[in-house]
């Protein structure tokens, strides 16, 4: 029987390594004067359409880079690229989130000095991405009313770890008889100070207010 047991806190090591990598990323992004946003949210909440809509509105003002995190395809990167935006694809294979080292590796050959604004679309998942800072200015979680009314109550940690909440697809509120303000109140109960925006990436409702809040 050994008396030399070593305890390893895997969670601490894993998250600690990511935090260190995120801090290196943040230094790199800052050095290039790049405004950076990590767009998180469940599958299908409208992350890509939100990025497309923001790119269309902001393309005249900023040179934009989009990083698409996806398990298997380039569909989202292709959609954003169709608007003349430069894109970088990260296919994670089995991983349910991006991490800071993946992002740095994907950007290793990109001249970041060419860009002023970067959107990173994280893998569609409401849980894992929130635990992995990427070194960006703001983590934005995109909820949508088609996910049902309990996403905030069921995922308080993701909300707490986000810097901003976007409630998307408000154009469907009437037909779905969805109480959007009740969802806003749920966010306030988790964090009273968190900024919440009600938008439709399809019609453009609420996007000007969001752009103002992002100081873009
Ligand atoms: N009516 C309506 N539909 C929307 C809105 N935003 C996105 N959609 C639709 O919702 C579907 C999913 O949108 P995406 O932008 O692909 O969602 P996503 O979050 O990027 O999805 P994944 O990358 O697969 O996780 C598409 O059919 C969009 O056209 C919106 O504000 N209103
Ligand atoms: Mg997408």
């Amino acid at each position: 029987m050994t008396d030399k047991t070593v305890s390893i806190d895997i969670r601490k090591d894993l998250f600690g390594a990511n935090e260190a990598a995120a801090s290196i990323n943040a230094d790199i992004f800052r050095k290039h004067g790049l405004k950076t946003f990590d767009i998180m949210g469940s599958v299908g909440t409208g992350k890509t359409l939100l990025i497309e809509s923001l790119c269309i509105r902001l393309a005249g003002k900023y040179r934009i880079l989009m990083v698409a995190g996806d398990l298997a395809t380039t569909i989202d990167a292709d959609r954003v690229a169709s608007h003349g935006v430069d894109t970088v694809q990260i296919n994670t294979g089995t991983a349910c989130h991006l991490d800071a080292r993946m992002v740095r590796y994907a950007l290793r050959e990109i001249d970041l000095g060419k860009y002023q604004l970067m959107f990173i679309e994280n893998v569609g998942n409401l849980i894992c991405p929130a635990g992995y800072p990427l070194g960006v200015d703001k983590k934005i979680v995109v909820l949508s009313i088609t996910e049902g009314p309990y996403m905030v109550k069921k995922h308080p940690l993701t909300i707490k770890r986000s810097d901003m909440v976007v409630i998307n697809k408000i154009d469907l509120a009437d037909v779905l008889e969805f109480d959007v303000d009740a969802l806003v109140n749920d966010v306030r109960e988790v964090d009273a100070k968190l900024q919440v925006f009600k938008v439709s990436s399809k019609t453009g409702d609420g996007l000007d207010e969001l752009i103002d809040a992002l100081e873009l």
Side-chain angles (χ1 to χ4, degrees):
M1 198 168 132
T2 180
D3 62 353
K4 292 203 169 29
T5 306
V6 178
S7 295
I8 299 173
D9 184 341
I10 290 176
R11 284 175 60 86
K12 198 171 146 204
D13 286 356
L14 195 67
F15 291 128
N18 187 70
E19 301 257 339
S23 144
I24 294 170
N25 287 3
D27 285 345
I28 294 170
F29 300 154
R30 210 174 299 119
K31 192 180 93 193
H32 288 97
L34 200 55
K35 296 170 187 274
T36 50
F37 301 98
D38 177 10
I39 312 296
M40 311 180 295
S42 301
V43 172
T45 57
K47 298 178 293 298
T48 309
L49 191 59
L50 176 66
I51 293 169
E52 289 180 87
S53 303
L54 292 175
C55 286
I56 288 166
R57 282 165 176 72
L58 295 168
K61 191 168 174 192
Y62 298 100
R63 188 88 194 265
I64 305 173
L65 180 66
M66 185 261 190
V67 177
D70 204 301
L71 267 74
T73 77
T74 62
I75 292 170
D76 293 353
D78 294 344
R79 280 168 58 188
V80 176
S82 75
H83 305 290
V85 174
D86 289 350
T87 59
V88 173
Q89 180 68 50
I90 303 177
N91 283 137
T92 59
T94 54
C96 58
H97 59 85
L98 296 176
D99 69 34
R101 276 183 297 189
M102 283 181 208
V103 170
R104 192 155 73 252
Y105 186 75
L107 295 176
R108 72 197 181 285
E109 288 175 358
I110 305 289
D111 175 7
L112 291 178
K114 275 169 50 185
Y115 304 98
Q116 297 99 38
L117 173 59
M118 180 170 70
F119 293 113
I120 302 175
E121 178 173 346
N122 219 308
V123 177
N125 183 315
L126 193 53
I127 303 167
C128 309
Y132 289 83
L134 304 179
V136 298
D137 297 331
K138 276 193 197 320
K139 284 177 99 60
I140 302 172
V141 63
V142 181
L143 308 171
S144 83
I145 66 174
T146 49
E147 296 165 278
Y150 306 120
M151 299 313 275
V152 171
K153 285 188 193 300
K154 289 184 177 182
H155 299 89
L157 198 55
T158 294
I159 301 297
K160 273 192 195 130
R161 287 173 167 168
S162 302
D163 301 305
M164 183 181 278
V165 177
V166 171
I167 299 175
N168 191 31
K169 307 194 190 181
I170 57 165
D171 56 295
L172 299 175
D174 285 347
V175 70
L176 292 176
E177 299 180 3
F178 191 99
D179 186 347
V180 181
D181 289 329
L183 197 62
V184 174
N185 286 337
D186 289 347
V187 175
R188 301 251 180 273
E189 276 178 23
V190 174
D191 182 344
K193 292 199 218 89
L194 208 53
Q195 284 182 297
V196 189
F197 292 88
K198 300 184 269 188
V199 311
S200 167
S201 301
K202 186 169 182 173
T203 66
D205 265 10
L207 292 184
D208 288 341
E209 290 83 350
L210 177 61
I211 287 170
D212 282 349
L214 295 174
E215 298 180 25
L216 291 174

